[in-house]
Amino acid sequence: MTSGPVGLTRRSRSRRIIAVGGGKGGIGKSMVSANLGVALAQAGHKVLLVDADLGGANLHTCLGVGPPESTLSDFLRRGKANLEEVMVATGVPGLSLIAGAQDSLDAANLKYAQKQKLLRTLLAQTADYLILDLGAGTSFNTLDFFLLADHGLLVVLPEPTSVENAYRFVKAAFFRKLQQVESQYGIQDLVEGALSTREGGLRTLHDVVAQVRRKAPSDAERLERELASFRVRLVVNQARTDADAKVGAAMVAAWKKFFGIDMDDLGALRYDDEAWRAVRKRRPVLIERPDSPVSLGLQRIASRLLSLDGPSSESAIP
């Protein structure tokens, strides 16, 4: 078995999907995705990284992989029979990559049938971990991939604009979730009204459930359980101060207060010059400088994700 960071030892488990999103570009989503993939693979897990940023794919660069000959475009548009035909090695044992589309101006605008094909195929993969590096923003494609995941990670910088965009992303994802189940619970009018109002008109989880309960109490219980599974996990990147590192906890508290939904703070990654040096070298920082502060933070986040998937005496990093 490949040795890895302390606390990330392999154990028997089912496949999990991790989606890494963000409200804006340039916040480090691809860096987080690539290095989480490295951390889990170094621990002995079979990991598949998918560059699902269909409009600006660059995950291969973070891993030091040259421009791939085959990408998602070949699978979606050019008749490749399965994803295995477009997978490439990364040089890290146990870690494979599917590069995003780079040659089509409309790559980000998947047709419904193409998206369904990709979602079905992703769900059928046998990797221990499937990590989706998503595009920035709140397009339906991005939100649907985020909602597909067992763990939806939202990367945020400790800056007002990034925090604001992160809240917009979470609200958009929540209402996209409601759209997916609205006909089942008869809440089409509620969802339409919430989406059409400006700031201040958004309903909370409790408002939605209360309306359904007035019509059908048993449906309300099922809806409450379903929406409770919507639980975003925050990663604060480039924290320079102790106050920066506490931004995640503040966001969790605010989201719970105003929208009645739980959110998890997975921790902060300290600002570290080694991170951008590694990016310039086209090397994952976990490989280039595994002892750096940002690498240790990434290892802790990987360990926390493992602990969420099940108890293990070896899943926590001191």
Side-chain angles (χ1 to χ4, degrees):
M1 183 183 74
T2 306
S3 62
V6 176
L8 295 183
T9 305
R10 183 184 179 90
R11 64 182 185 277
S12 298
R13 57 181 316 287
S14 59
R15 184 261 297 134
R16 290 289 186 271
I17 300 176
I18 300 171
V20 183
K24 60 182 292 187
I27 57 176
K29 291 185 291 77
S30 293
M31 185 278 289
V32 171
S33 299
N35 283 282
L36 283 180
V38 171
L40 295 170
Q42 285 180 335
H45 296 277
K46 182 181 179 182
V47 182
L48 174 60
L49 272 168
V50 179
D51 195 337
D53 185 350
L54 301 178
N58 61 8
L59 189 57
H60 63 284
T61 305
C62 296
L63 292 162
V65 176
E69 295 181 3
S70 298
T71 71
L72 274 180
S73 287
D74 297 290
F75 173 71
L76 293 170
R77 292 187 172 90
R78 299 190 181 96
K80 295 288 185 181
N82 53 62
L83 279 180
E84 284 75 12
E85 294 183 65
V86 298
M87 289 182 189
V88 297
T90 65
V92 178
L95 179 63
S96 300
L97 169 69
I98 295 177
Q102 300 178 45
D103 56 356
S104 177
L105 292 177
D106 65 345
N109 302 312
L110 288 183
K111 296 179 180 178
Y112 178 80
Q114 292 172 325
K115 181 169 67 175
Q116 292 302 111
K117 174 185 177 182
L118 181 55
L119 291 175
R120 287 194 304 269
T121 308
L122 290 175
L123 288 172
Q125 296 304 300
T126 58
D128 298 325
Y129 279 96
L130 181 64
I131 301 178
L132 309 178
D133 181 27
L134 306 181
T138 57
S139 72
F140 281 171
N141 285 333
T142 295
L143 295 176
D144 288 346
F145 288 129
F146 190 82
L147 293 172
L148 172 73
D150 301 287
H151 303 302
L153 270 61
L154 181 62
V155 180
V156 60
L157 298 182
E159 301 170 356
T161 54
S162 182
V163 170
E164 182 178 350
N165 284 327
Y167 278 129
R168 288 175 179 165
F169 182 95
V170 179
K171 285 188 282 189
F174 175 62
F175 282 101
R176 181 61 172 168
K177 176 77 171 180
L178 286 179
Q179 284 182 316
Q180 293 175 349
V181 301
E182 62 182 5
S183 60
Q184 181 180 354
Y185 295 100
I187 54 175
Q188 294 95 323
D189 292 342
L190 174 63
V191 175
E192 182 179 352
L195 288 173
S196 64
T197 56
R198 293 186 178 274
E199 202 72 24
L202 296 173
R203 304 293 202 278
T204 68
L205 168 64
H206 302 303
D207 293 331
V208 175
V209 173
Q211 178 162 319
V212 175
R213 182 171 287 114
R214 287 193 290 270
K215 299 178 180 179
S218 60
D219 285 349
E221 292 179 6
R222 289 192 298 115
L223 176 61
E224 191 166 25
R225 286 195 300 269
E226 189 160 4
L227 295 182
S229 66
F230 177 81
R231 190 160 181 148
V232 173
R233 311 193 192 284
L234 285 177
V235 175
V236 177
N237 192 24
Q238 298 184 18
R240 296 173 183 265
T241 66
D242 290 343
D244 287 349
K246 296 176 182 177
V247 164
M251 291 182 66
V252 167
W255 184 252
K256 177 68 173 179
K257 177 180 179 181
F258 292 108
F259 294 95
I261 303 174
D262 289 316
M263 182 187 287
D264 295 316
D265 176 18
L266 288 186
L269 301 173
R270 289 286 181 174
Y271 180 87
D272 190 345
D273 286 342
E274 296 299 336
W276 65 261
R277 288 193 182 104
V279 170
R280 287 192 173 188
K281 292 181 180 180
R282 302 186 178 188
R283 296 262 294 172
V285 69
L286 266 175
I287 293 177
E288 186 70 10
R289 284 298 305 274
D291 58 342
S292 65
V294 68
S295 292
L296 296 176
L298 287 159
Q299 291 169 9
R300 284 192 293 270
I301 289 170
S303 178
R304 287 167 186 164
L305 287 171
L306 283 177
S307 69
L308 289 170
D309 291 332
S312 171
S313 61
E314 299 178 314
S315 64
I317 296 178

